[in-house]
């Protein structure tokens, strides 16, 4: 998704901006650009393509100690040099980079065109450049011009603005799209994601919606949209630049899959109480009495976060015996949900910035809902806006397809389910069983990772299929959904997930030697039913790759993973499917970490 970087200080801005843009590449983009300001005015370069193409297009003499940069993910207008940001007003005085969507752009454009403004691009962002330039003619400061321009703007934005007539400052504003300020020594940075700042500083300030900031080399001031100054406490990011390295792996995705013994251990660290067999989750900000007052749990997220939420719902129903279900965030917020005081709402987001999930949080809060966040990125918007939650501590996830955040989220749900269960009916013995199971996970994940070569060979064997079916029952179903999601995201092989029991109600018609099935078959009380399903697929000459706790003659190939407690098995069963998708994507020559058409953080609708 679009990315913003900006710099003001004593150094040349362009190399710093290019480096920052490179750090944002993982989010997904189709074009890139930058602008610097010096005493002679504004200079810009924009290209369709990669940040490396932009770097090649920037001449050696591209001097300016103030600048803004952008990676664009097309929404208004196709990817092109012209539509890339920054956008300038027609006098070339104001330059703007923007993440988000201006909803009244058409109306603003018509009004500006009626006043004689000639537009260069098809973007919504260009309206901002013209509006700010118009206001700058009368305003006493760039901040005032931006504030006045934004008063007439409807939509979401994170913006950074420079003015050729005020070469020492940057103005930024946020409404729905993240803006982070990075505090340096006599220099200031801006980015839409801390990943772009971390090489320079770990002292950051997150802007809230409706806030603006003015940055100079000497520091920053923040304001509300009605010009009241706000006080912000800088906060120290505990991730460092090393977390963003690929650690010698060929792809971030493989690095992140391989990190899971550690990341799961980090999610668990300090949270299991062996004396009372409960989970310590201080971040929930709820006492036992309040915890007991909830009768239901509703889980909300997007993409893989939603599928991990399905695992979470199952864990909560089993361990806490509370009705629980998961729903995609965008569906939830648009269907006018009934928000109830005795429902605990749990939102999930690796990035903490996904727009649909954030909007669902806001809708829930408007209606008085109690909302928790299971989030990986500390200090992100969803973490800030929820009433409490659980941080994953999985470290930055760079590859677009989620892996370690998925497993850590499922682990966080196991802790939450244990917590909710132990203040209700879950016995100490069952609590102990779950605690011990959780402790076994990191070692068992290590064992699964040793199966990589076998899984690689299977991925090569199956990767030429035109499509694949993924099936699972109850605990296995969300695992099958996530397995199908991983495969389609990164290998572009069509993959469809179904509850195993639903096969005969439709999709069995598709089964043939050309459409292999991945079957998630844990050794639980549904084993026999699952094996019967495999028999039905075999009878239609379907090939089967079974992922479970034993081999079976009903399947062509079997991947056998270590068994944990029934409730926790889905976490482990996911991992072979991650490796399968990874190796299928590599075998097909895909851009594993940056799959086509996808973005890491979807900060627009
Ligand atoms: C995007 C990514 C998915 C991710 C989803 C939710 O669609 O491509 O991999 O699962 O967003 O992201 P979040 O940061 O909210 O977990």
């Amino acid at each position: 998704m679009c990315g913003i970087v900006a710099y003001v200080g004593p150094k040349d801005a362009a190399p710093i901006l290019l480096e920052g843009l490179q750090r944002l590449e993982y989010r997904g983009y189709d074009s890139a650009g930058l602008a610097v300001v010096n005493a002679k005015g504004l200079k810009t370069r924009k290209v369709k393509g990669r940040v490396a193409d932009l770097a090649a297009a920037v001449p050696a003499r591209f001097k300016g100690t103030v600048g803004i940069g952008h990676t664009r993910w097309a929404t208004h207008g196709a990817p092109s040099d012209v539509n890339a940001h920054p956008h300038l007003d027609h006098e070339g005085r104001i330059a703007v980079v923007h993440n988000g969507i201006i909803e009244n752009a058409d109306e603003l454009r018509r009004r500006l065109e009626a006043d004689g403004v000639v537009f260069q691009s098809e973007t919504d962002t260009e309206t901002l450049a013209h509006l700010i330039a118009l206001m700058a003619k009368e305003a006493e400061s760039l901040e005032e011009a931006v504030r006045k321009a934004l008063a007439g703007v409807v939509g979401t934005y994170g913006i950074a603005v420079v003015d050729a007539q005020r070469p020492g400052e940057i103005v930024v504003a946020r409404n729905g799209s993240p803006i982070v300020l990075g505090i340096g020594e006599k220099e200031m940075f801006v980015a839409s994601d801390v990943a772009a700042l971390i090489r320079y500083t770990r002292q950051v300030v997150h802007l809230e919606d409706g806030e603006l900031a003015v940055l100079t080399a000497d520091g920053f001031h923040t304001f509300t949209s009605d010009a009241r100054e706000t006080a912000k406490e800088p906060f120290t990011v505990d991730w460092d630049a090393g977390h963003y390295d690929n650690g010698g792996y060929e792809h971030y995705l493989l690095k992140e899959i391989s990190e899971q013994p550690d990341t799961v251990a980090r999610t668990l660290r300090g949270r299991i109480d062996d004396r009372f067999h409960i989970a310590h989750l201080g971040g929930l900000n709820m006492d036992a009495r309040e915890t007991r007052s909830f009768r239901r749990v509703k889980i909300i997220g997007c993409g893989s976060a939603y599928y991990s939420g399905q695992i979470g719902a199952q864990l909560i129903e089993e361990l806490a015996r509370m009705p629980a279900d998961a729903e995609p965030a965008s569906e939830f917020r648009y269907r006018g949900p009934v928000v109830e005081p005795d429902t605990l709402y749990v939102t999930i987001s690796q990035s903490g910035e996904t727009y649909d999930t954030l909007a669902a949080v806001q809708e829930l809060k408007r209606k008085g809902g109690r909302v928790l966040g299971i989030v990986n990125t500390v200090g992100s918007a969803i973490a800030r806006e929820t009433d409490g939650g659980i941080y994953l501590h999985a470290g930055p996830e760079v590859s677009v397809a989620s892996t370690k955040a998925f497993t850590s989220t499922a682990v966080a749900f196991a802790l939450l389910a244990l917590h909710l269960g132990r203040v209700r009916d879950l016995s100490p013995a069952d609590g102990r069983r779950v605690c011990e199971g959780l402790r076994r996970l990191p070692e068992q994940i290590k064992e699964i990772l040793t199966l990589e070569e076998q899984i690689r060979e299977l991925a090569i064997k199956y990767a030429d299929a035109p499509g694949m079916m993924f099936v699972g029952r109850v605990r296995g179903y969300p695992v099958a959904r996530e397995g199908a999601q991983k495969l389609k995201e990164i290998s572009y092989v069509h993959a469809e997930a179904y509850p195993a029991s639903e096969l005969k109600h439709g999709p069995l018609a598709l089964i043939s030697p050309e459409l292999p099935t991945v079957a998630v078959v844990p050794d639980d009380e549904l084993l026999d039913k699952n094996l019967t399903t495999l028999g039905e697929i075999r009878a239609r000459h379907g090939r089967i790759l079974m992922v479970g706790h034993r081999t079976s003659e009903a399947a062509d190939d079997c991947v056998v993973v270590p068994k944990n407690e029934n409730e926790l098995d889905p976490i482990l069963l996911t991992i072979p499917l991650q490796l399968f998708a990874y190796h299928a994507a590599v075998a097909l020559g895909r851009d594993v970490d940056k799959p086509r058409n996808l973005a890491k953080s979807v900060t627009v609708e």
Side-chain angles (χ1 to χ4, degrees):
M1 206 79 330
C2 301
I4 289 177
V5 291
Y7 172 80
V8 51
K11 301 184 190 125
D12 246 344
I16 294 171
L17 298 176
L18 287 167
E19 150 84 33
L21 292 178
Q22 239 167 37
R23 299 268 158 189
L24 296 181
E25 282 193 293
Y26 77 96
R27 298 171 69 96
Y29 69 107
D30 47 52
S31 47
L34 51 79
V36 296
V37 188
N38 60 30
K40 292 197 203 124
L42 264 171
K43 290 179 179 219
T44 57
R45 282 291 183 282
K46 324 197 280 187
V47 298
K48 178 183 165 190
R50 298 272 162 195
V51 174
D53 303 321
L54 176 65
V58 171
R61 286 201 57 79
F62 198 76
K63 299 288 172 197
T65 57
V66 182
I68 54 179
H70 194 256
T71 48
R72 174 173 186 253
W73 199 74
T75 55
H76 285 65
S80 69
D81 293 358
V82 174
N83 286 336
H85 300 205
H87 289 286
L88 274 58
D89 67 301
H90 56 289
E91 287 172 12
R93 170 178 172 185
I94 298 289
V96 181
V97 290
H98 164 224
N99 290 355
I101 291 177
I102 307 298
E103 286 162 18
N104 62 341
D106 291 346
E107 179 202 325
L108 293 171
R109 193 180 184 110
R110 273 195 300 276
R111 262 199 273 148
L112 287 159
E113 281 174 342
D115 287 344
V117 171
V118 180
F119 276 75
Q120 305 292 319
S121 75
E122 299 157 270
T123 64
D124 52 342
T125 306
E126 195 183 334
T127 57
L128 294 178
H130 295 301
L131 275 180
I132 296 168
L134 216 60
M135 300 298 169
K137 289 193 169 53
E138 312 275 298
E140 288 185 359
S141 67
L142 179 58
E143 184 261 329
E144 185 189 334
V146 172
R147 198 159 30 81
K148 289 195 166 149
L150 291 177
V153 168
V154 180
T156 56
Y157 47 79
I159 57 170
V161 186
V162 288
D163 178 350
Q165 294 185 15
R166 293 187 175 89
E169 67 181 37
I170 303 167
V171 173
V172 296
R174 167 184 172 134
N175 188 40
S177 279
I179 289 285
V180 191
L181 318 182
I183 305 163
E185 282 286 316
K186 294 270 171 217
E187 56 187 358
M188 287 290 300
F189 305 84
V190 177
S192 51
D193 179 332
V194 285
L197 304 174
I198 211 78
R199 252 200 83 205
Y200 303 103
T201 177
R202 285 161 67 182
Q203 288 290 103
V204 304
V205 167
H206 289 272
L207 285 198
E208 300 298 330
D209 281 350
E211 245 180 345
L212 290 89
V214 181
L215 297 98
T216 62
D218 295 324
F220 69 98
H221 290 279
T222 51
F223 305 89
T224 59
S225 48
D226 51 5
R228 277 177 296 124
E229 197 156 342
T230 51
K232 307 287 288 190
E233 276 299 309
F235 132 105
T236 310
V237 181
D238 62 0
W239 296 347
D240 60 32
H243 281 108
Y244 288 93
D245 290 341
N246 63 8
Y249 285 90
E250 197 175 338
H251 297 103
Y252 280 103
L253 192 74
L254 186 58
K255 177 195 174 215
E256 288 161 5
I257 292 173
S258 308
E259 274 175 343
Q260 290 176 111
D262 291 338
T263 52
V264 163
R266 284 210 296 273
T267 306
L268 289 172
R269 189 162 301 150
R271 286 170 166 164
I272 298 177
D273 182 323
D274 286 317
R275 195 152 149 238
F276 298 111
H277 317 302
I278 56 172
H280 286 299
L281 296 169
L284 300 184
N285 302 326
M286 275 192 314
D287 60 22
R289 197 191 167 118
E290 194 186 355
T291 310
R292 270 192 296 270
S293 71
F294 297 111
R295 311 208 66 81
R296 266 176 299 281
V297 180
K298 180 86 194 173
I299 301 165
I300 296 147
C302 297
S304 291
Y306 158 52
Y307 299 135
S308 64
Q310 280 201 311
I311 294 183
Q314 181 67 29
L315 276 159
I316 290 168
E317 287 218 349
E318 286 197 67
L319 297 178
R321 302 306 294 151
M322 295 167 78
D325 72 325
E327 187 174 343
S330 62
E331 287 289 298
F332 176 79
R333 80 184 173 102
Y334 278 122
R335 68 180 173 76
V338 179
V339 177
E340 297 166 306
D342 57 358
T343 300
L344 176 63
Y345 295 91
V346 184
T347 54
I348 310 163
S349 180
Q350 186 287 125
S351 60
E353 302 289 355
T354 299
Y355 187 79
D356 279 322
T357 313
L358 180 59
V361 170
Q362 290 163 343
E363 180 66 14
L364 280 164
K365 288 183 69 183
R366 251 190 303 278
K367 293 183 167 164
R370 183 76 153 91
V371 197
L372 300 180
I374 297 187
V375 171
N376 193 31
T377 309
V378 176
S380 57
I382 294 171
R384 294 199 308 277
E385 294 216 13
T386 42
D387 304 314
I390 307 174
Y391 277 126
L392 300 180
H393 301 303
E397 192 178 67
V398 173
S399 197
V400 166
S402 184
T403 51
K404 62 176 180 172
F406 182 92
T407 46
S408 278
T409 304
V411 168
F413 269 115
L415 290 166
L416 180 62
L418 178 67
H419 181 74
L420 295 172
R422 289 287 289 124
V423 296
R424 288 185 172 71
D425 287 339
L426 192 71
S427 68
D430 270 332
R432 175 191 205 132
R433 186 175 61 74
V434 173
C435 289
E436 287 173 357
L438 285 168
R439 286 206 191 283
R440 286 200 298 277
L441 287 174
E443 278 307 314
Q444 291 182 313
I445 296 174
K446 271 190 204 156
E447 273 181 60
I448 297 173
L449 294 174
T450 65
L451 304 176
E452 185 178 350
E453 186 49 32
Q454 182 208 354
I455 298 170
R456 190 180 74 86
E457 282 165 20
L458 290 170
I460 293 167
K461 174 173 167 185
Y462 286 95
D464 59 356
M468 290 192 89
M469 188 68 87
F470 284 69
V471 297
R473 258 188 179 79
V474 186
R475 298 186 194 99
Y477 177 48
V479 177
R481 293 190 87 181
E482 173 60 8
Q485 168 91 341
K486 283 284 89 62
L487 187 67
K488 68 183 113 177
E489 274 181 305
I490 59 173
S491 75
Y492 319 150
V493 172
H494 175 70
E496 192 167 3
Y498 254 90
S501 55
E502 277 284 297
L503 264 193
K504 56 180 167 299
H505 299 297
L508 203 55
L510 295 171
I511 297 297
S512 75
E514 283 73 51
L515 188 83
T517 299
V518 174
V520 181
V521 183
D523 258 13
D524 62 9
E525 66 280 8
L526 297 171
L527 175 67
D528 289 342
K529 284 195 186 306
N530 279 322
L531 294 176
T532 306
T533 302
L534 300 196
E536 288 165 5
I537 298 170
R538 274 292 264 244
R540 275 84 188 172
H541 310 291
R543 290 188 287 156
I544 300 170
L545 164 57
M546 170 170 145
V547 178
H549 300 120
R550 60 171 72 207
T551 57
S552 165
E553 285 179 359
D556 297 79
D557 295 289
C558 297
V559 174
V560 179
V561 305
K563 175 94 184 80
N564 196 302
E565 300 302 322
N566 285 348
E567 298 91 333
L568 302 176
D569 280 331
I571 302 167
L572 297 172
L573 289 163
T574 305
I575 293 166
L577 302 186
Q578 297 171 343
L579 285 167
F580 182 80
Y582 171 73
H583 284 291
V586 170
L588 293 166
R590 309 299 191 215
D591 190 350
V592 176
D593 285 329
K594 294 183 207 116
R596 70 183 181 202
N597 308 340
L598 296 181
K600 181 71 183 157
S601 290
V602 183
T603 49
V604 295
E605 268 203 84

